[in-house]
Amino acid sequence: MSALNWHGIWAIFHHEMTRFFRTIWQSLASPVLSTVLYFVVFGAAIGGRIQSVEGVEYGAFIVPGLMMLTVLQQAVSNASFGIYFPKFSGTIFEYLVSPVGWIEVTLGFVGAAAVKAIMIALVILLTSFVFVGVHILHPFWMVAFLVLSSLGFSLLGFIIGLWAKSFEQLQIVPMMVIMPLVFLGGAFYSASMLPPFWEGVAKLNPVLYLISGFRWAFFGLADVPVGTSLFAVALMVVVCMAVIRWIFATGWRLRE
Amino acid sequence: MGAIIEIDHLSKQYGSGTKALDDVSLTIDEGEIIALLGPNGAGKTTMISIICGLVVPTGGTVRVGGHDIRTDWRGARKLIGLVPQEIALEPFEKVINCVRFTRGLYGMPPDDAYIERILRALALWDKRDAATRELSGGMKRRVLIAKALSHQPKVLFLDEPTAGVDVALRREMWQVVGDLRREGVTIILTTHYLEEAEEMADRVGVIAKGRLLLVRPTAELMGEFGKKTLNIELDTPLDAVPGDLADRGVVLTDGRHLRYDYDTRAERTGIARLLGDLAARGITVRDVSTRQSSLEEVFLSLVSEDAA
Ligand SMILES: Nc1ncnc2c1ncn2[C@@H]1O[C@H](COP(=O)(O)OP(=O)(O)OP(=O)(O)O)[C@@H](O)[C@H]1O
Ligand SMILES: [Mg+2]
């Protein structure tokens, strides 16, 4: 195989990031606003009653979940919209006739979507410092989980964008599947707070593993072993890449 | 000069069952300009789309600069620039960024001096900072051409480059194509205008119903189909064509009408002499009209010949 087309990757990445920076304030304002609202609602209202979860102040306890919630939302919507828009406007032909393969297109689009999601997550972390004191126990693993989750869900969003044939389809998967999984994945509570039966059900939810691992990096607390979390997110990245590779190899929904 | 595009027994049947391309073989030499003519739905866009990688063929092979488009697609695609039939541009992007983007996609390092050159050549330099949605249709088409040239391709596909472009601009585009030819770029264009093919192309290929019916040097084809017919309506009916006029190919269609076929490209068409001779014989002409066989007729005759 010939060498990767780095200029091509950069062109796509740069183009996607430019689109993001063109509307940087909108891109940042809404996640920051919703973070503040979550703190007011969950932190102040519920936190007043719960006080602490396994020794961690409730306001701080929800920070990893809140970041993860935003990362998954942003990663999926950025990546799915990023590739769907050229399909919609017809400019997708350029990617299909130029010397870029699935690796270049994926690195460009997914890389940009993941970087945007990570930037927004960090802004949320900074915002939360205003409300609570958050101490990060394992910064390296915190970054590792953040990057891997952003990548995994950007890859998933990219697949959704390739698959979608309309704006409705583009919205439906994030709305109907991803959001419920995040909420049920323990973003705002610990699975150990659930009755045993529901705790078992919750453990079938892949998002739980991400949030659990991420929370462990912050506080050293986890619903499932960290190794399992790491394996789950790495598996997601690998499976999504395989699917994208297959889509480009067969030209499914891309080439006649 | 050697072959740059080798199309070998190429076929395409779409999922819908339409056979859009049927066993087409064609070799195009480096530096050549070839025009593909054919009625709507003939398969011109399909052929271009296969070579460029948008459509997967159901049979046959294509090599561009010696690179097979399926197995060595990177090598093949680097050499190609495509101006698609349908205008598709990122609406909010600036003209100059669109062009830079394409250059990057093709793996070329930035070169703003070169991009300035093409934008100027295409009369787009003043619009370089405009968003593409603010441009007129003709300008958008020129942006597509600028994008296709951004990576200095050796082969350029122009799928109906002058559709929706005004007459003055059409001339300018022919100029651009002429400049590219001088730089040695091989150009494959499709058009519905015989005039355009005549003006620009070295060879003309005629496609109908997915078959490549013929490929000929333009001059040869124009000679063959560049014939015109002169119809002369007479004041008083004649019984026969006066002797020596018949030798020149004049025929009497009915008593009041004479017909004369001539070649528009010949140095002397013989029209003035014919009219002079008629006057000298005291034959009064009431009216004259001419008719040229249209492209449509050319297609029809070719297609019916083919069916026979
Ligand atoms: N994506 C597609 N799916 C199914 N059939 C198609 C598709 N694209 C083209 N066709 C069919 O293939 C045939 C050839 O179409 P093509 O676009 O290649 O013609 P063309 O020569 O470019 O015509 P025009 O002069 O109108 O641009 C037509 O019958 C068309 O309906
Ligand atoms: Mg066409």
Side-chain angles (χ1 to χ4, degrees):
Chain A
M1 208 186 94
S2 30
L4 281 189
N5 174 355
W6 289 103
H7 284 293
I9 298 170
W10 172 250
I12 299 172
F13 181 84
H14 180 258
H15 179 257
E16 288 300 295
M17 290 310 284
T18 309
R19 210 157 45 80
F20 174 67
F21 283 112
R22 225 174 359 229
T23 54
I24 179 92
W25 298 116
Q26 280 125 283
S27 308
L28 291 181
S30 88
V32 169
L33 180 69
S34 50
T35 308
V36 172
L37 289 176
Y38 277 117
F39 270 113
V40 171
V41 173
F42 287 95
I46 301 175
R49 291 156 200 262
I50 298 183
Q51 305 292 346
S52 72
V53 180
E54 294 172 44
V56 178
E57 187 193 343
Y58 186 70
F61 178 83
I62 64 170
V63 170
L66 210 49
M67 285 174 73
M68 209 37 98
L69 171 69
T70 313
V71 161
L72 303 200
Q73 265 179 333
Q74 290 290 329
V76 169
S77 82
N78 288 334
S80 61
F81 188 79
I83 187 69
Y84 181 76
F85 191 68
K87 276 182 24 176
F88 174 75
S89 68
T91 53
I92 186 87
F93 86 89
E94 273 208 276
Y95 302 96
L96 302 178
V97 302
S98 56
V100 291
W102 75 276
I103 300 181
E104 285 96 344
V105 176
T106 306
L107 283 177
F109 277 103
V110 170
V115 167
K116 289 182 234 178
I118 292 168
M119 283 169 61
I120 292 173
L122 293 177
V123 167
I124 286 176
L125 184 62
L126 291 178
T127 311
S128 67
F129 285 147
V130 175
F131 295 89
V132 287
V134 181
H135 175 73
I136 302 166
L137 209 56
H138 310 290
F140 171 80
W141 289 108
M142 180 275 216
V143 172
F145 271 108
L146 185 60
V147 170
L148 281 172
S149 309
S150 303
L151 269 181
F153 278 80
S154 296
L155 287 163
L156 181 65
F158 193 64
I159 294 171
I160 294 170
L162 286 168
W163 159 82
K165 284 182 167 175
S166 66
F167 277 104
E168 286 71 31
Q169 288 189 338
L170 198 61
Q171 310 275 355
I172 200 142
V173 177
M175 285 276 293
M176 302 296 288
V177 182
I178 295 170
M179 280 302 288
L181 287 181
V182 176
F183 272 97
L184 300 175
F188 302 113
Y189 56 88
S190 160
S192 62
M193 294 158 81
L194 297 170
F197 173 75
W198 290 108
E199 189 181 345
V201 172
K203 282 185 179 163
L204 297 175
N205 177 355
V207 177
L208 180 104
Y209 294 80
L210 300 186
I211 296 178
S212 169
F214 197 45
R215 191 176 283 139
W216 169 84
F218 275 77
F219 309 120
L221 303 172
D223 291 328
V224 290
V226 176
T228 314
S229 292
L230 208 55
F231 176 76
V233 64
L235 183 70
M236 176 175 187
V237 169
V238 171
V239 169
C240 287
M241 299 230 302
V243 171
I244 293 169
R245 196 185 156 180
W246 172 85
I247 289 176
F248 276 84
T250 59
W252 180 74
R253 294 204 172 174
L254 284 174
R255 291 189 165 90
E256 285 291 343
Chain B
M1 265 187 271
I4 190 146
I5 298 183
E6 299 150 87
I7 303 171
D8 198 24
H9 297 292
L10 197 63
S11 295
K12 173 65 187 181
Q13 183 157 17
Y14 282 105
S16 58
T18 311
K19 189 134 203 186
L21 221 52
D22 188 4
D23 196 24
V24 168
S25 296
L26 173 66
T27 300
I28 299 170
D29 284 335
E30 195 169 351
E32 185 176 30
I33 300 190
I34 186 160
L36 298 174
L37 293 172
N40 288 132
K44 305 181 294 293
T45 300
T46 300
M47 181 167 144
I48 290 178
S49 300
I50 292 173
I51 301 172
C52 295
L54 281 174
V55 170
V56 183
T58 40
T61 59
V62 181
R63 282 146 68 85
V64 180
H67 307 278
D68 186 283
I69 56 157
R70 303 296 302 280
T71 55
D72 185 10
W73 53 271
R74 279 182 201 267
R77 290 183 197 171
K78 271 194 189 125
L79 303 176
I80 298 177
L82 166 66
V83 179
Q85 183 172 5
E86 306 278 341
I87 293 178
L89 284 167
E90 190 101 357
F92 302 103
E93 192 62 272
K94 280 186 196 174
V95 169
I96 192 161
N97 288 342
C98 278
V99 181
R100 286 180 180 140
F101 173 73
T102 307
R103 186 177 167 89
L105 268 191
Y106 279 83
M108 302 279 281
D111 183 351
D112 278 352
Y114 175 72
I115 286 174
E116 176 173 345
R117 230 179 76 206
I118 28 183
L119 287 180
R120 284 191 189 280
L122 289 161
L124 284 170
W125 184 244
D126 292 341
K127 293 282 180 189
R128 65 189 178 279
D129 288 325
T132 61
R133 75 198 155 108
E134 296 161 14
L135 303 181
S136 75
M139 291 175 190
K140 284 182 187 154
R141 197 166 288 282
R142 279 180 284 154
V143 174
L144 286 176
I145 296 176
K147 280 164 77 78
L149 293 175
S150 67
H151 59 283
Q152 291 147 285
K154 292 183 79 167
V155 180
L156 182 65
F157 288 92
L158 297 164
D159 201 350
E160 298 192 27
T162 55
V165 170
D166 68 40
V167 179
L169 210 58
R170 184 168 293 179
R171 297 252 156 224
E172 271 177 43
M173 279 199 185
W174 292 355
Q175 198 90 44
V176 172
V177 170
D179 291 345
L180 289 170
R181 144 188 277 157
R182 273 185 285 284
E183 288 173 27
V185 178
T186 306
I187 297 170
I188 296 92
L189 60 95
T190 72
T191 178
H192 289 281
Y193 307 110
L194 194 53
E195 182 200 11
E196 200 158 278
E198 183 182 6
E199 184 75 26
M200 289 193 275
D202 301 312
R203 281 198 298 163
V204 171
V206 176
I207 301 186
K209 294 181 184 157
R211 312 264 312 256
L212 185 64
L213 299 181
L214 64 82
V215 188
R216 293 261 199 87
T218 312
E220 204 177 283
L221 194 70
M222 292 309 295
E224 197 158 319
F225 296 107
K227 295 213 166 57
K228 268 188 153 183
T229 303
L230 179 72
N231 271 302
I232 304 172
E233 188 182 347
L234 304 172
D235 227 10
T236 40
L238 291 178
D239 294 330
V241 182
D244 60 325
L245 293 186
D247 297 340
R248 275 189 253 157
V250 178
V251 289
L252 194 64
T253 48
D254 61 56
R256 296 183 79 98
H257 290 92
L258 290 171
R259 202 185 82 203
Y260 173 60
D261 292 327
Y262 65 98
D263 187 346
T264 49
R265 302 165 66 89
E267 203 160 325
R268 306 179 64 96
T269 57
I271 294 174
R273 185 164 151 224
L274 173 61
L275 293 176
D277 285 351
L278 290 175
R281 280 162 213 269
I283 300 171
T284 320
V285 172
R286 183 201 280 274
D287 197 9
V288 292
S289 64
T290 63
R291 214 177 59 82
Q292 179 164 32
S293 47
S294 70
L295 198 52
E296 212 59 32
E297 283 173 291
V298 174
F299 290 144
L300 287 177
S301 69
L302 280 169
V303 175
S304 58
E305 260 172 49
D306 186 58

